[in-house]
Amino acid sequence: MAQIAVMSVDGSVKKIDRDSEEGLQALRKLASLLLKDSLHQEFKGIRLGESVADEDGFHVDSDKDDQQVSADELSALQDALLAKAKDAKVEFVEADLDDALAEVKDDPYSSELIKEAAKDGKVAMYQVGDVKAVADGDIMVYGDAIKHLKLLSVAGAYWKGMSSNPMLQRVYGTVFFSKDALDEDMKKRQEAREHDHRVIGNQLDLFFVDPKVGAGLPYWMPKGATIRRTIERYIIDREVADGYEHVYTPVLMNLDAYKTSGHWEHYRDDMFPPMDMGDGEMLEIRPMNCPSHIQIYKHHIRSYRDLPMRIAELGMMHRYEKSGALSGLQRVREMTLNDGHTFVAVDQIRDEFAKILNLIMDVYKDFDITDYSFRLSLRDPKNKEKYYGNDEMWDESQKLLKAAMDDLNLDYYEAEGEAAFYGPKLDIQTKTALGNDETMSTIQLDFMQPDRFGLSYVGKDGKEHMPVMIHRGIVGTMERFVAYLTEIYKGAFPTWLAPEQVHIIPVSDEKHGDYAKQLADKMKAAQIRVVVDDRNEKMGYKIREAQTQKVPYTLVVGDDEVKDNAVSVRKYGEEAQNSMSQDAFMNEILADIASYSRKN
C-alpha cells in the first residue's frame, strides 16, 4: 500500500498509508493551507480566518474590505491552487508569539487564532508559500499528490460560528488521491443537491431563512405552510382517535421548573439564557414540553381510573444552536414538536408501549416510510454526570423496555450511552434520502420526573402511588419532518400532501376561463387544493411550469372539454394526457387523497 509523509503538530514527520482516513485528512489539511496561500496571493489585503479539513472536504474563511470572493472566481482560484501544489512543501515553524502577531498585525482573525494556540510565548505553525497557519493536526508534507481537487462553492459564515461576530466568506472544496474518487464524490454531491430540502424549498417556494432577521428561524411560505398544516391536522386527528387529549401550554415557564425537571442541570448548554422579569421571577423559553404537561397532570387529583392519561401537543420549543450548526429546516432554533406524554401505572407500561409503537407504525405506513430500524438507547453506567443517579430506577426501566420489545417480537440493537438523562428510550432510526441514519420517533420511560415533581394518583387501595411518565414523539419536529419528506420525495409530494394538487390551464381564458373557474370552485368545495392558471402565457410554458412545480395533476380545458363537461388530465412525470369526465376525475383524485396516495 502506498504511503505518504505527514507532519505532526510538533514538527515530526512520519509515514502513513495514503488510502487511510488519516491519509485523506492530511491531504485535505494541506489543500486548505494551499487555499489560504492562494487567497492571500490572488486577493491583496484579504484577511484569513479558520481553515478546516473534515470528512466532507475542506474550507477556508476570509474577509475583504471590498466585494467578497465570488463563485465566478473559483475556477481561476482553483487553477492557482493546483499550480502551487506541484512544488509545495510544508515547513514547520515555532515562532515567538510577538513575531507571529507582527506578521499578521492587519488581520484580526489570524491574530486571534494565533493567540489562542500560543503556549509559553510560542506558537507552532505550518508554512506553505507566504502563508503560515496554526499547526492543528497532521498535514501532508508534499503537495505533488494534489491533482484531483475541486473548489465547490462560496457561502457566508459567521466568524467562529457566532451570529454576533462578523460575516465572513467561506470557500468550500474537496480533494482526493484519485480521479475516480473525485468523480464519485461529485456524483454523490449532485445527487445530494437534487434531494437537498434547502434547494427544493427555494425552487418550490416552501420556506426561507434570513440570517439578517434571525438565523435558524424559518419563515413558512404559503405552500410550505400548507404542507405543514396538512401534516399537523393529520397527526392531531390520529392522536385524538388514539385517546390523546390535545392541549396548549405556554412557551415560557419559571426557571425553577427546569431545575426540578433536571433540564437546567443536564441540558443548560442547549437552553437560551433566562429572562429576569425584575421582580425576582426568572422565566425560561422552553426547550422541552414535558414540564408543561406535568403541570396539566398536577392540576387535578388523579385516580387510577384516569390512567393511562394521554396528553399531546404540537408544542413550540426553542433551543440554542450555534450559527455554524444551523441548516435549513434540519437544524433550527425554533421548532414545533409532535409531542406527547402518557402517565401510567407500572403494570400498564407494556401495553401502553405497544399502543404507542403501533401508532407510529400506522403513521409510517401513511407517509410511505419503510426503511427504519429500532435502537434501544441505554445509559452508560460509568457516566455519573450525564445520567440521573438512581441505579435501581435504571435497572428496572431498562428491563421493562427490553421486555416490551421482546413481547412485540421486534428486532433491535442496543446503544449504550444514547439514553435520555432521565431514562432509557426506544429510538426509531430512519434512512434519509442519501442513506444516513436519523432518529425519527422515540418512546422514553421516565421514573425521575414524576418523583421530582411529586406526581401521584389514588390507587384502588385508596393510597397514593407514583405514576410512570412515557415521553413519545411520533414524527419529531414539524421542521425536521418536512425537511425529511421533501428530500425523500424530491419535492414531488404525494397528492394528499402536495401544496397544490391540481393546476387548471384554460386554452383561452376568454373562451374557457369561466369553465375553468367553475371547475375549480367545485374542487375547492371538495377541499381539493387547486389553482387556475389564467396568465397571458403560452400553453406549453404553463404546462412546463406545472411540471416544474411538481403539481400532481394538470388539467387542460378547451372547446372539447367545455362541450363534453370533461377535462384533459396529465399526471406529474408523465407525458400522456387522458380525457375523462369531471365526475370521473373527481372520483379519482378524491380516492388518491383518501388513500394517502398509496396505489391499491
Side-chain angles (χ1 to χ4, degrees):
M1 183 176 288
Q3 292 194 314
I4 56 171
V6 299
M7 182 179 292
S8 298
V9 295
D10 61 358
S12 61
V13 176
K14 61 184 177 182
K15 292 288 187 74
I16 64 171
D17 290 336
R18 189 191 74 165
D19 294 328
S20 64
E21 289 185 13
E22 293 80 5
L24 184 58
Q25 180 76 3
L27 174 75
R28 290 174 171 172
K29 175 65 70 175
L30 177 54
S32 70
L33 190 53
L34 283 167
L35 177 55
K36 268 194 168 183
D37 187 42
S38 299
L39 287 165
H40 175 72
Q41 292 294 327
E42 299 296 318
F43 303 99
K44 300 303 179 184
I46 196 168
R47 296 177 288 275
L48 299 171
E50 294 176 296
S51 56
V52 174
D54 56 27
E55 67 279 358
D56 194 47
F58 61 92
H59 65 256
V60 171
D61 293 345
S62 63
D63 190 25
K64 291 167 59 185
D65 288 330
D66 54 359
Q67 186 177 359
Q68 298 278 36
V69 178
S70 73
D72 294 337
E73 296 169 302
L74 289 185
S75 179
L77 188 61
Q78 178 177 304
D79 291 342
L81 192 162
L82 289 170
K84 289 177 180 295
K86 294 177 183 178
D87 302 314
K89 180 183 177 182
V90 177
E91 302 290 345
F92 180 77
V93 178
E94 188 174 50
D96 290 328
L97 175 58
D98 290 341
D99 293 340
L101 290 174
E103 289 188 27
V104 294
K105 57 184 174 62
D106 296 323
D107 187 338
Y109 310 112
S110 294
S111 297
E112 186 172 336
L113 293 172
I114 289 170
K115 289 177 183 177
E116 290 174 349
K119 292 181 180 179
D120 301 323
K122 300 280 187 179
V123 59
M125 308 183 81
Y126 296 137
Q127 180 170 356
V128 170
D130 294 330
V131 164
K132 296 175 185 174
V134 170
D136 60 352
D138 288 352
I139 187 169
M140 196 169 68
V141 176
Y142 299 100
D144 54 357
I146 295 183
K147 300 174 182 176
H148 310 292
L149 175 145
K150 180 72 174 176
L151 294 186
L152 300 166
S153 61
V154 293
Y158 290 111
W159 169 238
K160 295 278 181 95
M162 300 291 292
S163 59
S164 56
N165 288 337
M167 175 73 78
L168 307 185
Q169 189 73 26
R170 177 168 292 176
V171 179
Y172 289 95
T174 193
V175 63
F176 291 89
F177 284 107
S178 72
K179 183 179 184 300
D180 287 346
L182 178 62
D183 289 345
E184 180 64 24
D185 185 68
M186 290 297 101
K187 182 179 177 182
K188 288 180 179 178
R189 288 179 187 275
Q190 178 59 32
E191 183 181 353
R193 180 173 174 79
E194 291 174 359
H195 284 277
D196 192 331
H197 78 280
R198 295 167 298 182
V199 175
I200 297 170
N202 182 58
Q203 292 169 345
L204 302 185
D205 200 23
L206 303 182
F207 74 95
F208 70 89
V209 180
D210 187 346
K212 295 177 182 177
V213 293
L217 303 174
Y219 286 73
W220 295 82
M221 297 298 283
K223 288 184 179 180
T226 297
I227 297 169
R228 171 174 169 167
R229 185 169 57 251
T230 303
I231 295 169
E232 289 178 344
R233 287 173 175 170
Y234 164 87
I235 287 292
I236 291 173
D237 288 346
R238 290 304 306 257
E239 289 177 338
V240 169
D242 220 45
Y244 286 86
E245 297 178 290
H246 261 259
V247 299
Y248 295 100
T249 58
V251 296
L252 292 171
M253 179 175 268
N254 193 295
L255 178 61
D256 289 341
Y258 294 108
K259 291 181 177 179
T260 301
S261 71
H263 288 100
W264 185 246
E265 177 185 357
H266 294 277
Y267 206 73
R268 187 184 310 183
D269 290 344
D270 296 301
M271 298 170 67
F272 280 95
M275 291 175 277
D276 188 343
M277 305 309 292
D279 56 0
E281 183 181 28
M282 300 291 287
L283 292 182
E284 177 66 35
I285 190 163
R286 70 178 174 194
M288 296 287 187
N289 300 312
C290 32
S292 300
H293 291 182
I294 285 172
Q295 301 310 311
I296 296 283
Y297 181 92
K298 288 184 67 175
H299 189 62
H300 295 299
I301 296 173
R302 304 297 177 182
S303 159
Y304 70 93
R305 295 186 180 90
D306 298 320
L307 306 183
M309 181 177 175
R310 304 180 184 97
I311 299 172
E313 179 178 12
L314 292 170
M316 184 181 290
M317 311 181 306
H318 295 79
R319 296 180 185 174
Y320 175 72
E321 294 273 8
K322 290 185 177 180
S323 298
L326 300 172
S327 178
L329 296 176
Q330 285 277 8
R331 294 290 292 271
V332 293
R333 287 176 174 159
E334 178 183 275
M335 65 218 74
T336 298
L337 181 64
N338 161 224
D339 209 0
H341 297 89
T342 304
F343 300 87
V344 298
V346 172
D347 61 2
Q348 295 173 326
I349 289 176
R350 289 198 190 185
D351 287 345
E352 188 63 21
F353 180 88
K355 183 178 179 67
I356 294 169
L357 194 52
N358 285 331
L359 174 59
I360 292 173
M361 297 300 99
D362 286 345
V363 171
Y364 280 16
K365 182 180 178 183
D366 288 341
F367 286 97
D368 197 27
I369 299 171
T370 57
D371 194 355
Y372 53 85
S373 58
F374 299 105
R375 182 181 76 185
L376 200 58
S377 297
L378 311 174
R379 73 159 174 168
D380 177 359
K382 299 175 184 176
N383 192 333
K384 302 299 183 183
E385 293 184 3
K386 181 178 178 180
Y387 299 106
Y388 178 54
N390 184 325
D391 291 340
E392 183 180 352
M393 179 277 287
W394 280 101
D395 291 342
E396 177 67 15
S397 58
Q398 290 184 167
K399 183 172 70 176
L400 282 168
L401 208 53
K402 288 182 181 181
M405 288 298 291
D406 293 337
D407 285 348
L408 294 168
N409 198 30
L410 292 172
D411 293 330
Y412 61 89
Y413 64 97
E414 298 182 9
E416 188 177 276
E418 293 296 329
F421 70 84
Y422 48 72
K425 57 179 178 168
L426 175 71
D427 291 324
I428 303 180
Q429 302 295 108
T430 57
K431 290 289 187 183
T432 67
L434 298 177
N436 299 317
D437 263 353
E438 183 176 277
T439 301
M440 176 71 71
S441 310
T442 184
I443 309 173
Q444 306 172 0
L445 294 188
D446 186 355
F447 289 75
M448 185 200 82
Q449 290 191 71
D451 182 29
R452 285 193 168 188
F453 281 98
L455 303 188
S456 66
Y457 66 92
V458 179
K460 291 182 181 179
D461 57 5
K463 298 179 180 179
E464 287 193 350
H465 300 267
M466 187 185 79
V468 178
M469 188 175 180
I470 302 178
H471 307 244
R472 48 105 288 201
I474 304 298
V475 295
T477 68
M478 291 298 105
E479 289 74 13
R480 181 167 286 189
F481 190 52
V482 170
Y484 167 83
L485 293 178
T486 302
E487 296 187 349
I488 287 290
Y489 300 140
K490 290 180 71 172
F493 290 91
T495 307
W496 77 283
L497 280 177
E500 182 184 334
Q501 296 166 325
V502 180
H503 197 83
I504 303 177
I505 303 174
V507 174
S508 165
D509 188 51
E510 182 180 350
K511 294 180 179 180
H512 315 116
D514 289 342
Y515 178 76
K517 291 178 175 64
Q518 290 169 10
L519 183 58
D521 289 342
K522 183 177 180 179
M523 292 182 185
K524 289 175 183 176
Q527 298 187 348
I528 297 169
R529 296 186 286 273
V530 56
V531 169
V532 175
D533 190 346
D534 56 4
R535 294 174 299 167
N536 186 25
E537 298 285 355
K538 292 182 179 180
M539 179 72 61
Y541 175 83
K542 291 182 179 182
I543 292 174
R544 285 194 300 273
E545 177 105 335
Q547 294 292 295
T548 300
Q549 290 297 301
K550 304 184 180 183
V551 180
Y553 293 92
T554 299
L555 308 185
V556 177
V557 293
D559 290 339
D560 291 341
E561 286 73 29
V562 172
K563 178 170 64 74
D564 298 333
N565 202 32
V567 292
S568 180
V569 183
R570 178 174 176 171
K571 293 183 180 180
Y572 172 73
E574 297 181 4
E575 293 293 332
Q577 294 188 102
N578 299 313
S579 182
M580 62 177 68
S581 69
Q582 275 193 35
D583 289 343
F585 174 73
M586 290 287 287
N587 290 337
E588 178 177 320
I589 189 172
L590 289 173
D592 191 4
I593 293 168
S595 66
Y596 302 107
S597 303
R598 292 196 299 263
K599 293 181 179 179
N600 295 327

